[in-house]
Amino acid sequence: MKIAVCIKQVVGREWQLRLSDDKTWIRDQDASFELNEPDAYALEAALRLKEQHGGEVVVCSAGPSRVVQALREALARGADRAIHVEDGALASADAFVVAGALAAALRDEHFDLVLTGLQSDDQGFGQVGVVLAERLGLAHSTITMDVAVEDGGLRVKRELEGGWFQWIRLPLPALLTIQSGINQLRYATLKGIMAAKKKEIRSVAAPADLAARQRIVSLYFPEKSKQTRMIAGAPDEAAKELVRVLREEARVF
Amino acid sequence: MVLVIAEQRDGKLNRASWEPIIAAQGLGGPVKVALLGQGLEAAAAELAAAKVDEVVRVEHASLEAYTADGFVQALAAFIAAEAPAHVFFTHTYQTRDFAPALAARLDRALITDVVAAKPHGDGLAFTRPMFQAKVVADVVAEGPAPHLVSFQIGAFKVDALVRGDTAAPVRAVDAAVDPAAIRQRPEAPFQEAKQAVDLSQAERIVSVGRGIKAPEHLEMAKELAAALQAELAASRPICDAGWLPMDRQIGSSGQTVAPKLYLALGISGAIQHVVGMKGSRTIVAINKDPEAPIFEIADYGITGDLFEVVPAIITALKA
Ligand SMILES: Cc1cc2nc3c(=O)[nH]c(=O)nc-3n(C[C@H](O)[C@H](O)[C@H](O)COP(=O)(O)OP(=O)(O)OC[C@H]3O[C@@H](n4cnc5c(N)ncnc54)[C@H](O)[C@@H]3O)c2cc1C
Ligand SMILES: Nc1ncnc2c1ncn2[C@@H]1O[C@H](COP(=O)(O)O)[C@@H](O)[C@H]1O
């Protein structure tokens, strides 16, 4: 099975966010970056399918030159080769532009299966995978918690709200968006890291004519609406005060 | 005109469908509500209680079970016929599954996870969280109408719904669906084997998030839970990592709880977590980041390192 996995590099969770001067994006020059969490699970799902059914796993990321680092990490975990859609503007582009760029990079390779994460931790559109499916003409299913290959097609477990699930059959080729927790992740071994150095990372340009369908006019920190009583002081003082208010005011025990 | 797409399963209306109707009513123009499926009389009649211009049942035998392909086809045709300025959805898992494909097929904007609509120039800007709710963005749609917008569950209070003096007219249309073009074959929804713990009955819950860092630190949280006679619960990443079983997960894909006390340790307060616990009577958050969104909904908060604060609480409880 020839599988593509779309991975996004996002700012690290622990990084203290700062806004750009025009307040339409973040100032991420000094940010740390990491692999978008569900994308790591998507990569793992692809590696497991390859182990069972053979084939090839190709990772693809659209963004500035820094995303090569995420691609290298994926290669170290076991992906066979990488495609980098290189364009600085793609870091803050909307879902249609990103999906268009990914579609152009993947289309001619005719993958049997394309995996993406269900949502990015930065923009959080929850769109790129499904829009990409439509652009590539693939059947799709989302929020996937299990993938089985059956009778030349797929049987996938889709997460519904509140602890419900549903199995869905799909023909191949298909695109799935993967939910965190679908499997247990593997990490790169030293051998994997060494092997990754010899693997191909092909750089391609994004098509010039992609039209955005949404635009950020301003970005700001949320206003506090609820009156939260913040308990200050050294840990032991704060703890004592918390226990007191829980007993005497909130009466929770 | 705003067209609201309501959601149902087995003829039963999803309560969250009232919320985009409220959003649409707030804009002051005409509002139509559409419901897709088969056998929708009862759910449509329920929707008709809202002050809207019309409720439309978009029906077809092959829409009885939800599929992305079925819904995209039916809605692409229906939206083209109705020509609304906006199409509003609730940002449910179902909407997540088909709305981006619909937007792509129509080549129209889709703005997701929206919490508010506000005037901007001649049109509207939509407010949505970004970067895990650490910041908020005002976003405008680009390109021609209709613009598709999905609203975060809980963005509007259901009691803000304006009801009509009389029931709104209900119309039925045959959906334009080619069953042969539906590629997904869904099976019946199911729940995983009965859950071992029913956290919905717990009076007190100590809940741990990624701030706990490593599974061996769960001992400390367990000790606190024991001192409070509380159940232990967690955010999704803790269960994903296998540190606690899935049935201890709180949130949109886990359990919904409303204890007397919910003590969140190292949980950022993502919306998918918050929907599962915001009904708790007293919420306490301990987080080292003073800007963590969890403090938005907490009654009491301590900004600090949980590895210092939790042992201190255990000591204070035992004193
Ligand atoms: C469709 C969908 C469904 C989902 N369903 C669920 C669900 O059911 N339940 C759920 O929980 N999530 C769910 N999620 C995931 C959700 O979006 C968040 O990613 C998740 O809730 C984050 O978990 P967290 O708060 O533990 O981790 P993080 O967001 O990483 O937060 C960790 C927090 O710990 C704090 N911290 C770190 N170190 C310390 C320390 N030493 N002392 C004190 N504080 C510290 C940090 O400041 C941070 O605020 C879902 C996501 C999607 C897209
Ligand atoms: N720039 C990108 N490069 C590669 N994949 C991406 C990119 N942006 C989004 N994706 C994929 O699309 C998924 C959903 O992203 P989003 O629509 O931004 O929430 C992510 O989990 C990734 O798998």
Side-chain angles (χ1 to χ4, degrees):
Chain A
M1 202 171 349
K2 188 171 167 184
I3 308 172
V5 187
C6 298
I7 61 172
K8 186 177 195 182
Q9 194 188 41
V10 295
V11 290
R13 230 171 253 112
E14 303 275 313
W15 181 63
Q16 196 68 40
L17 225 114
R18 277 181 302 162
L19 301 181
S20 62
D21 291 336
D22 66 355
K23 303 228 172 352
T24 59
W25 194 243
I26 53 163
R27 223 164 70 208
D28 60 6
Q29 288 82 350
D30 62 344
S32 60
F33 290 92
E34 57 194 34
L35 187 55
N36 187 46
E37 183 162 55
D39 305 3
Y41 287 98
L43 172 62
E44 178 64 40
L47 295 173
R48 288 179 186 210
L49 285 168
K50 182 190 155 180
E51 280 158 11
Q52 288 164 25
H53 305 283
E56 188 186 21
V57 174
V58 180
V59 283
C60 182
S61 188
S65 53
R66 62 168 161 78
V67 310
V68 166
Q69 182 197 330
L71 291 170
R72 279 245 159 70
E73 189 181 324
L75 294 173
R77 289 191 199 185
D80 297 293
R81 61 186 167 91
I83 303 171
H84 177 199
V85 188
E86 190 168 2
D87 190 331
L90 288 170
S92 57
D94 86 330
F96 273 48
V97 169
V98 174
L102 292 171
L106 299 180
R107 183 171 285 117
D108 293 342
E109 292 227 30
H110 302 286
F111 288 96
D112 300 306
L113 180 62
V114 179
L115 302 183
T116 72
L118 86 163
Q119 187 169 311
S120 58
D121 279 350
D122 53 0
Q123 302 244 47
F125 296 125
Q127 294 196 44
V128 169
V130 180
V131 173
L132 177 60
E134 182 69 19
R135 293 283 180 256
L136 294 175
L138 304 176
H140 79 270
S141 186
T142 55
I143 323 188
T144 307
M145 284 300 277
D146 203 353
V147 186
V149 179
E150 275 184 30
D151 312 326
L154 297 175
R155 187 164 176 261
V156 302
K157 187 175 164 191
R158 171 169 151 71
E159 184 177 302
L160 306 174
E161 279 112 340
W164 285 78
F165 297 90
Q166 179 177 37
W167 287 97
I168 296 171
R169 281 174 201 279
L170 286 170
L172 289 169
L175 181 143
L176 303 175
T177 81
I178 302 294
Q179 168 68 300
S180 294
I182 181 175
N183 46 41
Q184 293 297 321
L185 300 176
R186 80 187 66 188
Y187 291 93
T189 57
L190 189 60
K191 198 165 148 241
I193 294 167
M194 296 311 290
K197 295 198 169 131
K198 296 194 199 77
K199 292 177 180 173
E200 175 193 85
I201 302 181
R202 185 159 56 89
S203 175
V204 301
D209 57 349
L210 298 169
R213 284 281 175 247
Q214 58 185 288
R215 178 168 56 87
I216 298 171
V217 289
S218 74
L219 211 56
Y220 46 93
F221 290 101
E223 283 164 34
K224 298 250 179 295
S225 52
K226 183 161 171 176
Q227 289 300 321
T228 302
R229 174 134 161 238
M230 296 305 291
I231 301 176
D236 49 340
E237 286 164 39
K240 260 189 221 144
E241 176 61 6
L242 176 67
V243 170
R244 188 191 69 77
V245 297
L246 291 181
R247 265 202 190 112
E248 295 172 15
E249 292 174 16
R251 296 174 190 279
V252 293
F253 51 83
Chain B
M1 184 259 291
V2 180
L3 175 65
V4 178
I5 310 301
E7 186 173 311
Q8 56 85 30
R9 191 158 100 197
D10 298 331
K12 202 169 163 281
L13 197 64
N14 183 337
R15 316 303 309 164
S17 293
W18 296 114
E19 298 185 25
I21 299 176
I22 296 165
Q25 286 178 333
L27 298 180
V31 179
K32 289 188 186 183
V33 184
L35 195 58
L36 276 74
Q38 176 78 334
L40 304 173
E41 289 82 354
E46 202 181 339
L47 286 167
K51 189 170 188 302
V52 296
D53 297 271
E54 190 181 36
V55 175
V56 189
R57 287 162 27 204
V58 182
E59 299 198 340
H60 194 284
S62 51
L63 295 179
E64 181 160 15
Y66 164 78
T67 59
D69 282 345
F71 270 48
V72 170
Q73 284 184 58
L75 276 172
F78 182 65
I79 289 170
E82 294 289 324
H86 289 96
V87 184
F88 285 3
F89 308 84
T90 316
H91 196 51
T92 59
Y93 289 16
Q94 185 168 298
T95 300
R96 286 168 174 274
D97 193 54
F98 75 84
L102 174 65
R105 196 163 302 178
L106 296 169
D107 203 17
R108 293 295 179 269
L110 168 62
I111 303 177
T112 51
D113 210 16
V114 168
V115 294
K118 55 186 171 193
H120 179 89
D122 299 335
L124 292 171
F126 297 96
T127 305
R128 63 187 299 273
M130 282 182 54
F131 294 92
Q132 301 269 296
K134 284 185 193 138
V135 289
V136 187
D138 286 345
V139 174
V140 294
E142 304 259 84
H147 298 148
L148 284 56
V149 181
S150 71
F151 288 88
Q152 186 177 97
I153 299 173
F156 295 86
K157 291 250 180 312
V158 174
D159 54 19
L161 181 80
V162 183
R163 295 178 164 272
D165 299 327
T166 54
V170 177
R171 170 166 61 107
V173 303
D174 293 327
V177 183
D178 170 11
I182 298 179
R183 292 164 293 185
Q184 299 88 359
R185 295 268 171 265
E187 299 173 19
F190 64 96
Q191 273 183 303
E192 263 346 342
K194 197 80 199 119
Q195 305 194 313
V197 277
D198 182 6
L199 295 175
S200 68
Q201 300 306 315
E203 293 221 326
R204 285 171 292 273
I205 291 177
V206 169
S207 195
V208 294
R210 205 180 338 233
I212 199 84
K213 298 259 168 14
E216 56 270 25
H217 299 144
L218 284 174
E219 280 314 312
M220 189 177 72
K222 281 184 189 154
E223 212 183 307
L224 176 61
L228 284 166
Q229 291 179 294
E231 288 282 354
L232 194 63
S235 66
R236 182 169 188 128
I238 301 301
C239 301
D240 284 348
W243 299 353
L244 280 176
M246 284 290 279
D247 55 12
R248 301 238 166 219
Q249 180 179 313
I250 306 296
S252 61
S253 42
Q255 298 206 43
T256 301
V257 295
K260 279 203 263 185
L261 172 67
Y262 191 90
L263 209 161
L265 302 176
I267 292 178
S268 61
I271 179 64
Q272 294 87 4
H273 185 79
V274 167
V275 293
M277 47 65 77
K278 65 169 190 258
S280 307
R281 206 179 78 195
T282 300
I283 298 170
V284 179
I286 297 168
N287 197 303
K288 68 171 187 192
D289 175 9
E291 304 297 333
I294 190 78
F295 287 127
E296 260 296 283
I297 58 147
D299 298 284
Y300 301 100
I302 296 180
T303 305
D305 184 347
L306 70 90
F307 296 103
E308 294 174 9
V309 178
V310 172
I313 300 175
I314 296 171
T315 308
L317 281 168
K318 287 180 177 163

